[in-house]
Every structure is written in structure tokens, then in C-alpha cells.
Amino acid sequence: MLQDYHLYLTGRSIRERRPESLLLHFNHIPWPSVDSWLVLPQALRRTICEGLLANDICGLQTDRYARNFLETVRPFVRDARVDLAGRHVRWRGRTIWVRAYPISIDPDSLTDFARGPEVAHRRRDLSDHSSAPAGPS
């Protein structure tokens, strides 16, 4: 499982060395609309898209970001066949699934934890250390 923009091209390297691998790339940051990508040279746009298409699954935070990704692949990877309704891409004999996997937290659980004894103890420790005189430097 690969994550985020700094690993956009990693799936391609892994796929070349281990073609049988099951690869998933998850992008935590928003995937912009296709027009936003036009500021980059075509070769770079295609390289980024192909790097992600080397994975079996491309996961994004929301349905909108997943659709944006599919709509980005269509013009920049001309030999890819994008299926917006099926949320997948056929490319170089493979099917790449594009899905939304929203990451969320349980706010009630987080609030309970924040009010709990472990956090209170840690806050006291931090407060004690911040009020201690600084040692020699």
C-alpha cells in the first residue's frame, strides 16, 4: 500500500520488478479537477497518471476526487479506457479500480478519550516540564 503524492511513481517501479504484486495507492490529499493539471507539461501529467495506473486500486478521499482522477486520466493517458460509471480504467491489459475511501474519525470517541485519565496525566506531565527552569545550553 502506497500513500500520497511523494509516491505517485512508485507503483510503476514495483510493477516492473514484481508484476504479480497487488498494489494499492491511497491519496489523502484532494485530487484537483482536470483543468488544474494543465499548468504542468503534458509529459509530467502523463507520467503521474501512469505511475498511479500501475496500481491495481487507486483510492481517494471522496467520490468527487475519484471522479476528478478518472477525468484526469482520460485526456492525459490516451491509450487508457476510462469507465466513469464503473469507476475503473482499462490500461495495458489491466483493470485499475478507482474508489473513494473516506477517512473519518468518531468524534464522540475522540472527545471521550480527550477527557480521559490518560490525557489528563499526559497534560500534567507536559505542564510540569514546560514550567521547569531551562538547563544550561
Side-chain angles (χ1 to χ4, degrees), residues 5 14 22 28 45 51 76 81 91 98 102 107 111-112 128 132:
Y5 65 91
I14 295 170
L22 177 61
H28 291 89
R45 296 187 304 246
F76 302 149
R81 298 294 164 251
W91 185 63
V98 178
T111 299
D112 290 345
D128 290 347

Side-chain angles (χ1 to χ4, degrees), residues 81-101:
R81 298 294 164 251
V82 174
D83 182 337
L84 288 173
R87 292 282 171 99
H88 68 270
V89 177
R90 291 284 305 155
W91 185 63
R92 298 189 176 169
R94 298 177 39 258
T95 301
I96 299 90
W97 302 99
V98 178
R99 297 292 187 261
Y101 299 111

Side-chain angles (χ1 to χ4, degrees), residues 45-106:
R45 296 187 304 246
R46 183 176 175 106
T47 299
I48 290 169
C49 289
E50 287 182 353
L52 290 168
L53 292 176
N55 295 280
D56 298 288
I57 302 169
C58 289
L60 296 107
Q61 283 279 357
T62 67
D63 287 328
R64 184 179 74 185
Y65 300 156
R67 184 174 184 85
N68 284 350
F69 175 71
L70 290 164
E71 289 176 347
T72 301
V73 168
R74 182 180 283 156
F76 302 149
V77 184
R78 297 196 188 274
D79 55 334
R81 298 294 164 251
V82 174
D83 182 337
L84 288 173
R87 292 282 171 99
H88 68 270
V89 177
R90 291 284 305 155
W91 185 63
R92 298 189 176 169
R94 298 177 39 258
T95 301
I96 299 90
W97 302 99
V98 178
R99 297 292 187 261
Y101 299 111
I103 293 179
S104 63
I105 60 168
D106 176 357

